[in-house]
Amino acid sequence: MALGRKTGGREKGTPNHSTAEIRSLATVHAAEAIERLADLMRNAENETTRLAAIRELLDRGYGRPALHADIKSHVDTPPRDYREMTDEELEAIIYEARAEREHERANASGKAWRSDH
């Protein structure tokens, strides 16, 4: 990017011709594909195949179900007030946070993280 502006590629709002072409070709076969899924749902000998066809039909007709995570945590002790911590405890927290951030950056850039940082 130059001066905070996008300098290459398509302009915003310009359709991707390859994607549009593939979508157009797929649309031609959509009705036949749905008919085949319905046939598999009703007549497949394998229960796994029938269930997969049912899932595909429902996903296309109603959308995929939302994913929900029920996360529960049990903490034996409440978090301590930072004003009650020693300088050494606070420095350890800062050091650990910096190491985690460095690790995340290294993973994001594809580099191996070294523990000697």
Side-chain angles (χ1 to χ4, degrees):
M1 267 203 233
L3 301 174
R5 294 186 307 245
K6 185 176 176 181
T7 59
R10 297 184 313 272
E11 289 187 28
K12 188 175 183 177
T14 303
N16 180 329
H17 295 292
S18 297
T19 302
E21 185 177 334
I22 290 169
R23 182 172 286 148
S24 175
L25 290 171
T27 303
V28 171
H29 301 287
E32 182 182 351
I34 290 173
E35 287 175 23
R36 180 67 176 131
L37 282 170
D39 181 57
L40 287 170
M41 175 187 72
R42 290 184 196 101
N43 303 314
E45 292 181 20
N46 183 328
E47 183 70 17
T48 303
T49 302
R50 283 196 302 273
L51 289 172
I54 290 168
R55 185 176 302 112
E56 291 298 322
L57 285 168
L58 290 173
D59 285 353
R60 267 115 188 109
Y62 295 101
R64 288 190 164 190
L67 297 177
H68 297 281
D70 186 17
I71 301 173
K72 295 181 181 174
S73 173
H74 176 71
V75 178
D76 291 332
T77 58
R80 290 178 51 201
D81 187 330
Y82 71 92
R83 291 171 289 200
E84 297 173 359
M85 294 181 176
T86 66
D87 288 346
E88 291 78 19
E89 289 173 315
L90 293 169
E91 287 174 359
I93 291 170
I94 293 169
Y95 179 80
E96 184 177 328
R98 284 182 179 157
E100 286 177 12
R101 184 174 41 190
E102 197 172 306
H103 177 70
E104 289 170 0
R105 285 182 181 164
N107 283 341
S109 66
K111 297 178 183 174
W113 183 68
R114 296 184 332 203
S115 61
D116 61 339
H117 276 76

